[in-house]
Structure formats: C-alpha cells, structure tokens
Amino acid sequence: MEVRRSARRRRTVTAYREGETMVVLIPATMTKAEERHWVAEMQKKLQRTESKRASPARASDEALLLRCTELSRRYLDGTAKPASVRWVRPMRTRWASCTPVNRTIRVSRRLRDVPPWVLDYVLVHELAHLRVADHNDEFWELVHRYPKAERAIGYLEGLSAAANLGIAAVDDEDYADDE
C-alpha cells in the first residue's frame, strides 16, 4: 500500500494498482484520520471492482474449458465442443489459436487480466473456428452472436496499440475493411 499526497489535488481520492501495490492518491491537506478513512474506503472499492472483473476462467485450463462449454451452449447452440482449452505462453502475433482438426484451443496468458467480456469474445471467436475454419461470412455470423463482439475487438485493438504488440484483434484483414 502506498499513499501519495498531492498539493494540486483538492477533493478527489483515487486508487489503482501498480503491480502488486495499491496506490491511493489523496489531497495533501487531508488529516491522518481522513487518510485512514479514505484508504480503507478505496481498498474496499478496488477489491469490489477487481472481483467483478475477475473471470473464473482465469483459474485454470479446466475452468477455461468449462467457460467454453457455457459460451458454446449460449451462443453456438452447443455445437462447438473443444477437446481441450489451455492457457499458453504469450503468443507473438495472436491472442489465441484453434486447431479444428484436433479441436484444441490455446489462449495467450496476455488475456488473463482483460475484462471477462473480452476473454469471452476471444473464446467465442475460437469456438466458431471449430465449426467454420475460415474467416468467411458464415464464421463472422457465428462470432457476432456474441453481443459484445465489436466492443471486444475495439478493446483488443487498443490493448495491442497501447502495448505496441502488433496483434490484430481481427485476424482477417478483409473483414476489417468491410466494417
């Protein structure tokens, strides 16, 4: 825990994580009692936010497979059934990959900290490859059954740009041009 006082800050209190450290920004004029109160409040708020963002699928490969089963049932009529889904070392050019022949899905560990709806999009995208290997109209129709697909694509594009990763959120350039 680190508390940073600012002479420019007048009323607002903010908290965020820097690695494993919780940083709380407070006005320099706050008393020690006010500081203790706001640190406790911001700690509770940050924990609530983090628990809402946490996806159970992050826990293990088994949890990832269970999440895929649920997403397949919800958005793909239960017809996309992977043999295995697992977390893998960060990939250089992709967020995830699918091998339809042996029905395996691999998800980059870079996605462990994204919001659950973004991870769900990536999983639905890969599950759709179990039904349609190419990025054709039929494939995109399946992917867009997931209601936050466009939003997640934008998030991944921003994440890639911010981290200078060069990973495309959509791995079919023709689709990106059609939008």
Side-chain angles (χ1 to χ4, degrees):
M1 167 96 58
E2 180 181 336
V3 177
R4 296 180 187 164
R5 290 178 172 265
S6 169
R8 290 186 307 182
R9 190 173 285 273
R10 297 283 177 234
R11 291 183 293 229
T12 61
V13 177
T14 304
Y16 61 91
R17 289 225 183 264
E18 244 179 35
E20 294 298 314
T21 304
M22 181 176 126
V23 178
V24 181
L25 307 175
I26 64 172
T29 57
M30 268 193 186
T31 66
K32 285 291 184 186
E34 289 172 321
E35 177 183 321
R36 281 190 301 276
H37 165 78
W38 282 107
V39 165
E41 284 297 312
M42 297 311 285
Q43 190 170 23
K44 282 188 257 179
K45 182 178 179 183
L46 196 57
Q47 286 172 342
R48 278 193 310 267
T49 301
E50 289 171 343
S51 66
K52 282 181 190 175
R53 289 187 71 194
S55 168
R58 291 182 172 88
S60 66
D61 292 349
E62 293 77 23
L64 205 54
L65 180 60
L66 284 173
R67 186 64 186 154
C68 281
T69 301
E70 170 61 22
L71 292 169
S72 175
R73 185 192 61 72
R74 190 178 301 171
Y75 300 110
L76 303 172
D77 306 318
T79 58
K81 297 178 182 176
S84 72
V85 185
R86 62 189 173 93
W87 292 104
V88 297
R89 290 189 337 261
M91 299 176 191
R92 284 185 287 149
T93 61
R94 298 175 182 198
W95 297 111
S97 64
C98 175
T99 306
V101 174
N102 60 13
R103 309 189 71 72
T104 60
I105 295 173
R106 289 154 310 284
V107 181
S108 173
R109 287 187 191 130
R110 289 185 205 277
L111 295 176
R112 282 199 186 245
D113 295 325
V114 299
W117 54 271
V118 175
L119 178 59
D120 284 353
Y121 160 75
V122 171
L123 295 174
V124 169
H125 180 110
E126 299 309 326
L127 287 166
H129 278 306
L130 294 177
R131 293 202 20 204
V132 180
D134 296 324
H135 289 102
N136 58 24
D137 290 343
E138 181 185 2
F139 170 83
W140 287 112
E141 183 276 319
L142 292 171
V143 170
H144 281 96
R145 289 181 183 180
Y146 181 67
K148 294 183 180 178
E150 290 301 322
R151 184 176 171 202
I153 289 167
Y155 183 98
L156 292 169
E157 287 173 349
L159 181 60
S160 179
N164 201 24
L165 297 173
I167 300 173
V170 177
D171 45 16
D172 179 25
E173 292 176 19
D174 293 336
Y175 172 76
D177 292 340
D178 290 342
E179 289 300 298

